Amino acid sequence: MTADELQPFLTGLAQRVMREDDWGTQADYIPDLAGIDPVQFAISVVLPDGQVLSAGASEQPFSIQSISKIFTLSIALGRIGDSIWARVGREPSGDAFNSIVLLENEQGHPRNPFINAGAIVTTDALLAGRAPREALSEILQFIRMAAGDESIHINRHVARSEKATGHRNMALAHYLRSFDNLTHEPDLTLGTYFHQCSIEMSTRQLALAGRYLAALPCSPRMISDAKVRRLNALMLTCGQYDGSGEFAFRVGLPSKSGVGGGLLIVAPGKASIAIWSPGLNEHGNSQAGTRAAAHLSDFTGWSVFRP
Ligand code: GLN
């Protein structure tokens, strides 16, 4: 797929999504995200040679929310390797991102690192030997290096806003702690988690940050190839919570969603793709973004199920 073929498609795709006028609803349980206009769209694609093609509001920063879970898991895998799997599983949950139901049956061992319970455990692991401030600066440094962009930052206002209403996550953290699967005070781990979720990036920055997951030659080396392969497997099976099967069916590429409306999508060896549209579907994944991803994979033929 050359840039000359892809750019006109992306420009047309952005126009088509605007016309389709099917946006879903923005996340309203985080007060700071409730006021965002769902009628927005952006897409960026990084090709193996490092060219970035974009359409729509690709320079507009948005809250990456759960997409941050990819970066914290990458750091945890790099730092403590396979010992993370003693604390969190690798199976899809078939439940909502913030669900608590499986935790009791499975005695505080979250199904996977992308549902909130699993991500809170991962962040807790990153806090070993580090103050929250140091862990956050490590997360930010990882993302800045992956994207090659020092301007990426945390929106502390969004973090405070989520903390004020984050009772579900507090319940999850305390519940994990009751099973001894949280080594720090729930407030400390959650404070770090809310701040990592509040990192803001544009689709351009996010697509650049995802180069290492697609193993593009233009990417800085972040983690080993073996770890990248495993991360992609988890993104395919669990990256969109209980919408993961449908996304694999429609798009066929590993991905991670966030309630800010972002999607990071990996076409291994071919492209790193970021899409943003803040209206969400019933699973908390971008509604227009998911549709755009399906159009893109139809047009390019990119799919892990197709050689
Ligand atoms: N910060 C959000 C939460 O914990 C992240 C959820 C998401 O993006 N799916 O609820």
Side-chain angles (χ1 to χ4, degrees):
M1 183 63 43
T2 66
D4 289 348
E5 293 168 304
L6 197 51
Q7 183 60 60
F9 170 78
L10 295 179
T11 307
L13 178 62
Q15 289 161 355
R16 174 175 177 174
V17 168
M18 296 309 280
R19 264 199 318 273
E20 282 172 345
D21 196 24
D22 176 18
W23 300 98
T25 313
Q26 71 275 31
D28 57 7
Y29 73 99
I30 301 175
D32 254 37
L33 300 184
I36 288 176
D37 180 4
V39 183
Q40 300 189 71
F41 178 79
I43 184 166
S44 296
V45 179
V46 185
L47 295 173
D49 64 2
Q51 277 192 83
V52 189
L53 310 181
S54 294
S58 61
E59 306 283 341
Q60 170 71 43
F62 59 89
S63 202
I64 68 168
Q65 292 295 323
S66 285
I67 301 171
S68 65
K69 297 169 181 175
I70 299 289
F71 304 119
T72 50
L73 183 62
S74 298
I75 299 168
L77 285 172
R79 174 133 47 103
I80 61 171
D82 282 338
S83 50
I84 189 72
W85 306 122
R87 297 184 60 186
V88 60
R90 305 191 291 261
E91 293 294 345
S93 71
D95 284 313
F97 64 89
N98 56 4
S99 174
I100 201 165
V101 292
L102 286 172
L103 263 190
E104 179 166 21
N105 290 340
E106 298 179 356
Q107 317 216 329
H109 192 260
R111 269 289 169 97
N112 68 65
F114 296 150
I115 52 171
N116 285 7
I120 291 168
V121 164
T122 307
T123 299
D124 188 63
L126 289 190
L127 283 168
R130 283 165 179 73
R133 186 187 301 274
E134 293 165 333
L136 282 168
S137 120
E138 187 177 14
I139 296 165
L140 215 42
Q141 279 317 318
F142 184 95
I143 295 176
R144 286 174 173 171
M145 184 175 165
D149 189 331
E150 290 297 311
S151 72
I152 295 164
H153 62 273
I154 295 173
N155 183 329
R156 292 180 191 281
H157 201 264
V158 172
R160 269 198 301 277
S161 154
E162 182 168 3
K163 186 170 194 268
T165 56
H167 300 293
R168 181 76 75 111
N169 284 321
M170 287 173 219
L172 287 170
H174 282 276
Y175 207 53
L176 288 162
R177 176 92 176 185
S178 77
F179 287 104
D180 288 328
N181 199 7
L182 204 75
T183 53
H184 299 87
E185 283 306 317
D187 258 7
L188 203 83
T189 302
L190 281 179
T192 312
Y193 171 78
F194 290 142
H195 280 81
Q196 82 183 50
C197 287
S198 303
I199 292 171
E200 291 189 336
M201 295 168 83
S202 63
T203 56
R204 180 187 166 81
Q205 291 168 326
L206 187 58
L208 284 164
R211 289 174 298 180
Y212 78 96
L213 296 164
L216 300 185
C218 61
S219 171
R221 198 173 164 74
M222 305 302 296
I223 53 173
S224 72
D225 294 348
K227 291 183 175 118
V228 162
R229 214 161 57 229
R230 291 169 151 195
L231 266 169
N232 277 306
L234 289 168
M235 288 170 77
L236 187 84
T237 52
C238 316
Q240 305 232 8
Y241 317 109
D242 43 347
S244 299
E246 178 72 9
F247 195 85
F249 183 84
R250 287 174 70 185
V251 182
L253 295 170
S255 71
K256 184 73 207 79
S257 61
V259 291
L263 285 173
L264 177 58
I265 305 170
V266 177
K270 299 197 166 70
S272 168
I273 303 147
I275 300 180
W276 172 61
S277 182
L280 307 177
N281 64 21
E282 71 275 25
H283 303 302
N285 304 323
S286 176
Q287 173 134 321
T290 303
R291 228 169 37 249
H295 293 318
L296 179 69
S297 81
D298 287 346
F299 176 77
T300 56
W302 292 338
S303 158
V304 293
F305 302 109
R306 191 184 134 153

